[in-house]
Amino acid sequence: MNSKPKPPPRLKNGVYISMWDFKGMTENELSFQAGDLFQVVEKNEEWYWARKLDPSGRCVAEGYVPFNYLAKKESMETEPWFFGQLSRSETVHRLMSEENKTGAFLIRVSEKKGAQYVLSVRDDSLVRHYMIWRNAQGNFYMNPSRSFPDIPSLLEHYRDKGLTHGLKPLTPCYKQEPKPMPHWDNWERPKEEFILMRKLGSGYFGDVYEGSWKRKVRVAIKVLTRVDVTHQDTFRNEIEAMKKLRHKHILSLYAISSLEDPVYIVTEFMSKGSLLELLRGPKGEHLQMTEMIDMASQVADGMCYLESQNFIHRDLAARNILVGDNNFCKVGDFGMARLVKRKEGIRRMSSKILFSPPFAGMTNSEVFHEVQRGFKMLCPPKCPATLYGLMCKCWDLNPDRRPDFKCLRGQLQSITHYENPE
């Protein structure tokens, strides 16, 4: 599929071990089995160029491997219970999956300043969270009266003695195998490689379908007519910029097919659709406040990244936040507002989506004038006072007094509860 790339410069690196089997999808990708050894030569976003090693350390093959299939040998990343960066909401959904029972646990990197990690354990129909700190001597502890040289020792102690409520961390949480898209250098792909399977909906930026790449990888495909694409050169430049954006809370652009009508914009598939659909659907009624705060924190984290890349979204709204398994949120449609011609009906649609619930009975013009006069939406039912205060700061007419996304992320992450053993 691809012409063979020039090998990157040889760099010395540690030895990595593969966590799952993988079958290469293109000629430049290596196939391997769980437990195979690698030396990573170059780290490049979601794919590493690596040497596959035999037991004696000799190189037997070189090529691309998906980064999230490898872990540094003899590091905590190889432990089945270590999940790295994981939001609180995703943690709960993973532990509450049918593969797990009471006592299922995982260790994740703490989102709070000061703490190193968090131990999360399933307790029947809920999940309990315990903060893990590190003292000046480098030892780990959940209670200052008892510290441990490493995390396995800490886990062994509480597996024997128990945490709170008689709960014990017994079995590592089920860890699902990642599903990467293929690696390719040319993002312009033939339309024949993609299959439109099911229409998911229509939006400002065309129709959206669930699809697949060569019946191997599930994707989402936006379908646009070329007449709707503004300024072809701007379109290409903006797509080039979007291709470079890589963050866990930013919707990944996989490929485009733009040489003929219609234009395909191919992204990763998010199983639960938009945040707006989720909140307004039956499942939205059962979301806990802690879950919604965590989802807002994920969005703020994605927007922090966009800000760090000097990238302006231009159309941030619940309809452009995509939700995947375990309520994992990603910011989507960034930059699209300047790529696609807006059509008739958008003003009416945005009026229905944005203004009806919080400003019922008011026209767009009335809302505009009331907001300019300092009117703020009343506190929603069951919304904590702390959170409503944060919302009001975001509505300040003076932009210099509004919190930035970094501040929002920090304050949202601070609204959490932990219970550590005595």
Side-chain angles (χ1 to χ4, degrees):
M1 181 184 292
N2 299 329
S3 58
K4 189 171 182 179
K6 294 180 180 179
R10 301 303 193 248
L11 303 175
K12 287 191 176 179
N13 217 325
V15 176
Y16 288 72
I17 188 169
S18 54
M19 307 296 288
W20 294 277
D21 295 350
F22 178 76
K23 185 176 182 180
M25 296 177 284
T26 71
E27 63 182 20
N28 296 319
E29 297 171 15
L30 292 179
S31 295
F32 51 84
Q33 295 180 326
D36 284 347
L37 300 179
F38 294 86
Q39 182 183 37
V40 173
V41 178
E42 184 177 64
K43 297 181 178 181
N44 182 19
E45 297 177 351
E46 297 176 345
W47 290 83
Y48 291 168
W49 182 269
R51 299 169 179 164
K52 184 177 176 181
L53 307 177
D54 65 13
S56 65
R58 274 187 319 143
C59 175
V60 294
E62 284 195 46
Y64 286 108
V65 297
F67 82 101
N68 48 4
Y69 273 64
L70 301 187
K72 205 156 192 178
K73 191 179 179 184
E74 298 178 353
S75 72
M76 195 157 64
E77 294 176 2
T78 63
E79 297 287 356
W81 40 257
F82 184 69
F83 279 66
Q85 297 278 354
L86 203 64
S87 76
R88 190 184 183 100
S89 178
E90 188 179 8
T91 297
V92 170
H93 280 268
R94 281 180 182 258
L95 285 168
M96 294 306 293
S97 68
E98 61 183 13
E99 293 88 355
N100 296 308
K101 308 297 180 186
T102 292
F105 73 96
L106 61 82
I107 298 282
R108 57 191 171 95
V109 176
S110 174
E111 297 174 320
K112 279 183 175 286
K113 289 183 178 179
Q116 292 285 120
Y117 303 103
V118 176
L119 167 63
S120 298
V121 190
R122 177 169 178 171
D123 186 3
D124 194 17
S125 61
L126 55 84
V127 174
R128 302 186 187 277
H129 307 274
Y130 306 86
M131 298 188 73
I132 300 175
W133 290 274
R134 200 170 192 177
N135 60 25
Q137 291 73 42
N139 292 333
F140 298 94
Y141 67 94
M142 291 195 291
N143 182 313
S145 65
R146 184 67 187 265
S147 63
F148 305 89
D150 51 43
I151 297 295
S153 300
L154 179 148
L155 288 172
E156 187 61 34
H157 172 80
Y158 287 105
R159 187 178 292 119
D160 179 46
K161 301 295 183 183
L163 296 155
T164 60
H165 309 277
L167 185 62
K168 296 181 179 182
L170 300 175
T171 310
C173 177
Y174 170 74
K175 188 178 286 188
Q176 190 173 17
E177 179 183 346
K179 300 291 184 184
M181 274 294 285
H183 178 277
W184 44 50
D185 299 313
N186 182 10
W187 289 56
E188 179 71 47
R189 308 306 306 169
K191 201 171 270 84
E192 297 74 30
E193 292 186 357
F194 301 98
I195 300 171
L196 302 180
M197 298 165 54
R198 177 172 63 100
K199 188 173 181 178
L200 301 174
S202 299
Y204 298 172
F205 308 128
D207 295 330
V208 184
Y209 291 82
E210 177 185 351
S212 70
W213 174 76
K214 291 190 171 182
R215 300 189 184 276
K216 294 180 180 179
V217 184
R218 202 177 182 191
V219 295
I221 303 174
K222 290 184 189 297
V223 180
L224 313 171
T225 59
R226 290 175 65 83
V227 71
D228 288 330
V229 177
T230 60
H231 308 297
Q232 295 296 315
D233 56 340
T234 303
F235 176 81
R236 303 293 300 183
N237 291 338
E238 199 78 1
I239 289 293
E240 284 297 320
M242 290 164 63
K243 288 192 300 191
K244 298 175 183 176
L245 299 174
R246 282 290 180 267
H247 186 269
K248 62 181 180 177
H249 292 304
I250 294 295
L251 190 71
S252 292
L253 175 68
Y254 284 156
I256 60 170
S257 183
S258 62
L259 300 182
E260 58 184 26
D261 243 351
V263 173
Y264 283 5
I265 298 178
V266 184
T267 67
E268 60 185 308
F269 178 80
M270 303 294 281
S271 60
K272 295 186 180 179
S274 75
L275 178 59
L276 182 67
E277 293 168 332
L278 177 65
L279 294 175
R280 290 187 170 178
K283 292 183 179 179
E285 298 176 4
H286 301 291
L287 285 174
Q288 299 295 316
M289 182 58 65
T290 52
E291 283 188 280
M292 291 189 283
I293 292 173
D294 184 80
M295 293 166 82
S297 172
Q298 295 180 55
V299 174
D301 193 30
M303 292 302 296
C304 280
Y305 171 75
L306 285 184
E307 282 187 346
S308 73
Q309 302 299 304
N310 297 316
F311 205 94
I312 300 173
H313 191 291
R314 293 185 174 89
D315 194 24
L316 181 63
R319 64 180 178 271
N320 291 332
I321 305 300
L322 285 305
V323 186
D325 296 339
N326 307 312
N327 282 358
F328 196 81
C329 296
K330 299 200 177 196
V331 180
D333 277 349
F334 40 86
M336 291 295 292
R338 67 178 287 189
L339 297 186
V340 181
K341 295 176 183 176
R342 292 192 170 250
K343 302 176 182 179
E344 293 297 324
I346 287 177
R347 181 177 298 276
R348 291 193 294 274
M349 188 180 295
S350 61
S351 170
K352 180 179 179 182
I353 291 174
L354 299 179
F355 296 150
S356 292
F359 303 107
M362 299 171 66
T363 66
N364 288 7
S365 177
E366 289 171 336
V367 170
F368 176 80
H369 289 297
E370 287 298 316
V371 170
Q372 289 296 312
R373 290 169 53 189
F375 173 80
K376 292 182 175 62
M377 184 181 78
L378 299 178
C379 183
K382 301 181 182 179
C383 177
T386 304
L387 191 58
Y388 181 64
L390 188 58
M391 292 162 61
C392 289
K393 290 179 182 178
C394 295
W395 295 329
D396 198 304
L397 292 179
N398 184 345
D400 294 332
R401 292 200 292 262
R402 298 173 199 154
D404 59 18
F405 281 107
K406 185 177 181 180
C407 175
L408 283 175
R409 179 183 59 184
Q411 293 197 41
L412 289 166
Q413 289 176 350
S414 70
I415 310 175
T416 47
H417 171 69
Y418 298 86
E419 43 185 310
N420 276 42
E422 297 292 335

